[in-house]
Amino acid sequence: MFRFVHAADIHLDSPLRGLSGQEGDNARRIRKATREAFENLVTRSIEEKVDFMILSGDLYDGDWKDYQTGLFFVAQMGRLSSEDIPVFLVYGNHDAASQMTRSLNLPPNVNLFGTHHAHTFLIPDLSVAIHGMSFRQRDVTDNLVPGFPDPVPDMFNIGVLHTGLGGLGGHANYAPCSSGELIAKGYDYWALGHVHQGQVINRTPYIVFPGNLQGRHIRETGPKGACIISVNEGAVADLGLLAVDVVRWEVLTVNAGPEDSFSDIINRIREEIRTVSGEMDGRLLACRILIEGKTKIHFQLESSREPLLAEARSAALSLGSSVAWVERVVVQTEPMGIGVDEKEETSFMDLAQILGKAKDDPELLKMMESQLGELVQTLPYDLRIDNEDIALKSAIDREYGELLSPVIRFLLADIREQGQKS
């Protein structure tokens, strides 16, 4: 019997999003999260006395800013080397050979798969054969599976591959292949990387994405970590999750009742954060607050985005300086009868109709295209294909009518709120 750890998509020193202009202990903790999660992985692997580790690509997040990223990785590999734990590594699209201008010699316990063809490393004492191939460039559009070696007889065969597996989960379809092709290869376990949501695609043989090691933004919610696999008599006996994330992202939904006040909503946000943070086992809760419901204060909430976010962050801090951090507050409430006279309501609805037509105004959309189109194309590739900001996504997708929608909603809410105050 033996055990191994399968991890992928570590993205060491990746800049976590949503932190622009943010300072303090929580912001610093979030910025260091990918390193701390990797340290946790190494610590847990040593504690669990695993026989080897597999890293299935995107160890880095692109070219290093300086050598500190590489030195950190080497230091962690040194910890595993002192425990006689070998590591088998493929490079994916983010750390492809063409992406990196700096490099360091790897410790002897790290076995790196080459970029020219699939190669096999053997662990004779465990009767294990590990087959893999690294990315030479970021945009690998060829199916690499046909070039993988045949399984070694009388050994437990593992394939290590960074792949989109047909564009699973909306990820770029690098090294495209199908699960049927992986099954047909005859291996006992496929250690995949690239898809950030952990999932078991197949069980005979096992085809597994462990997900990324540390959630980096609100689209990467829930527990994150690596898989730990037990093999007995040539077959997978158990597969579990080693949760090593230090910051956990969650979307918290708060209901706004018909008669709730602004203070009621803030108190409800505080209680929701208190409840969920109590389930984090010491991790920092990074959350987005979603406010729903039909309420008389709909327009007040819509027109008070900045003070609402400040109050939500204050509510989180009131629970302790390192308990939770609020990334954003999203208002999705609906208005209810507010008792305005018929003339005022008619005027407001006329204005709403006029502004609403702006989304379909050809001249306005053409102007936005000319001003935003070229600017968007200058954004980094990964930001354009993988972003969670609704407004930014609308601009990238050239959906300028959708880009106007939140602006119009905010303007109408502010007009209505000011009207109620007068």
Side-chain angles (χ1 to χ4, degrees):
M1 179 174 176
F2 62 87
R3 294 197 301 166
F4 66 95
V5 163
H6 167 207
D9 301 286
I10 289 91
H11 292 277
L12 281 177
D13 293 341
S14 167
L16 275 69
R17 298 179 198 153
L19 292 177
S20 179
Q22 298 299 313
E23 298 299 335
D25 291 343
N26 286 344
R28 284 189 288 272
R29 188 174 179 186
I30 294 172
R31 287 187 175 98
K32 296 191 301 179
T34 55
R35 282 199 182 197
E36 291 189 20
F38 193 66
E39 282 183 315
N40 287 348
L41 174 67
V42 171
T43 298
R44 292 294 305 278
S45 298
I46 292 171
E47 291 174 348
E48 295 288 343
K49 302 185 186 302
V50 301
D51 293 280
F52 58 92
M53 176 185 290
I54 291 175
L55 300 177
S56 301
D58 285 357
L59 167 65
Y60 305 119
D61 196 57
D63 201 16
W64 305 338
K65 181 178 67 174
D66 54 41
Y67 280 97
Q68 294 307 309
T69 301
L71 290 170
F72 170 79
F73 174 67
V74 169
Q76 297 308 309
M77 293 302 95
R79 294 175 60 201
L80 293 176
S81 179
S82 66
E83 301 293 333
D84 296 321
I85 299 175
V87 177
F88 300 89
L89 168 67
V90 300
Y91 285 155
N93 54 291
H94 277 271
D95 39 29
S98 65
Q99 296 289 98
M100 308 298 291
T101 61
R102 299 176 179 87
S103 64
L104 290 170
N105 288 325
L106 295 173
N109 66 316
V110 179
N111 303 276
L112 175 63
F113 289 96
T115 61
H116 295 287
H117 56 80
H119 178 69
T120 302
F121 289 109
L122 300 178
I123 310 178
D125 292 347
L126 300 177
S127 296
V128 171
I130 306 176
H131 319 274
M133 181 177 175
S134 290
F135 279 26
R136 184 182 303 181
Q137 70 273 350
R138 182 191 66 199
D139 303 317
V140 173
T141 57
D142 296 332
N143 184 348
L144 303 181
V145 175
F148 272 56
D150 291 336
V152 179
D154 301 320
M155 283 196 163
F156 187 86
N157 287 267
I158 301 173
V160 188
L161 180 64
H162 199 78
T163 175
L165 200 67
L168 193 66
H171 289 268
N173 192 22
Y174 297 129
C177 63
S178 68
S179 56
E181 290 174 295
L182 299 180
I183 293 169
K185 201 67 188 181
Y187 293 174
D188 301 288
Y189 185 98
W190 277 98
L192 306 184
H194 185 56
V195 174
H196 287 193
Q197 182 60 47
Q199 51 197 298
V200 177
I201 304 298
N202 194 74
R203 293 183 182 272
T204 308
Y206 271 83
I207 301 174
V208 179
F209 285 103
N212 55 335
L213 205 63
Q214 167 61 62
R216 300 178 299 154
H217 49 73
I218 198 61
R219 291 176 61 192
E220 298 177 346
T221 58
K224 295 290 182 179
C227 292
I228 182 167
I229 300 94
S230 299
V231 177
N232 190 25
E233 296 183 354
V236 174
D238 185 62
L239 186 151
L241 174 69
L242 284 181
V244 298
D245 50 341
V246 296
V247 176
R248 187 161 295 173
W249 294 81
E250 298 287 358
V251 176
L252 309 186
T253 301
V254 171
N255 184 66
E259 299 300 319
D260 280 339
S261 66
F262 191 86
S263 294
D264 291 332
I265 301 303
I266 300 305
N267 289 335
R268 200 161 293 142
I269 288 173
R270 181 183 294 106
E271 286 308 308
E272 184 66 15
I273 294 173
R274 186 198 305 275
T275 299
V276 177
S277 64
E279 302 168 358
M280 293 294 104
D281 295 326
R283 296 176 179 85
L284 174 69
L285 169 65
C287 58
R288 177 175 294 180
I289 307 296
L290 179 62
I291 305 177
E292 297 181 335
K294 200 166 187 176
T295 177
K296 68 179 184 180
I297 61 168
H298 164 76
F299 295 108
Q300 181 184 357
L301 294 173
E302 278 276 15
S303 62
S304 304
R305 301 299 180 95
E306 186 174 356
L308 187 57
L309 176 58
E311 289 284 5
R313 286 179 172 169
S314 176
L317 287 171
S318 72
L319 301 175
S321 61
S322 59
V323 172
W325 175 76
V326 178
E327 172 252 10
R328 184 182 300 178
V329 177
V330 177
V331 177
Q332 291 187 346
T333 54
E334 297 178 26
M336 55 186 300
I338 55 175
V340 297
D341 61 44
E342 184 176 344
K343 182 178 180 181
E344 181 185 343
E345 183 65 20
T346 300
S347 299
F348 180 81
M349 294 309 295
D350 287 344
L351 176 61
Q353 188 175 22
I354 292 170
L355 287 174
K357 289 180 179 178
K359 296 191 300 179
D360 302 312
D361 185 327
E363 291 301 317
L364 178 59
L365 297 180
K366 184 178 179 180
M367 182 181 70
M368 294 180 70
E369 167 73 28
S370 65
Q371 294 187 5
L372 292 177
E374 291 185 9
L375 177 63
V376 164
Q377 292 307 308
T378 66
L379 293 173
Y381 175 83
D382 292 313
L383 186 58
R384 284 189 279 118
I385 68 167
D386 182 21
N387 66 81
E388 72 281 355
D389 186 275
I390 296 172
L392 179 58
K393 188 178 190 305
S394 297
I396 290 169
D397 295 341
R398 300 176 183 270
E399 295 174 350
Y400 301 115
E402 291 301 314
L403 183 60
L404 281 171
S405 294
V407 177
I408 293 169
R409 285 200 307 271
F410 177 82
L411 181 59
L412 289 172
D414 190 55
I415 293 170
R416 172 56 64 83
E417 178 66 13
Q418 295 302 319
Q420 287 182 307
K421 291 177 179 178
S422 61

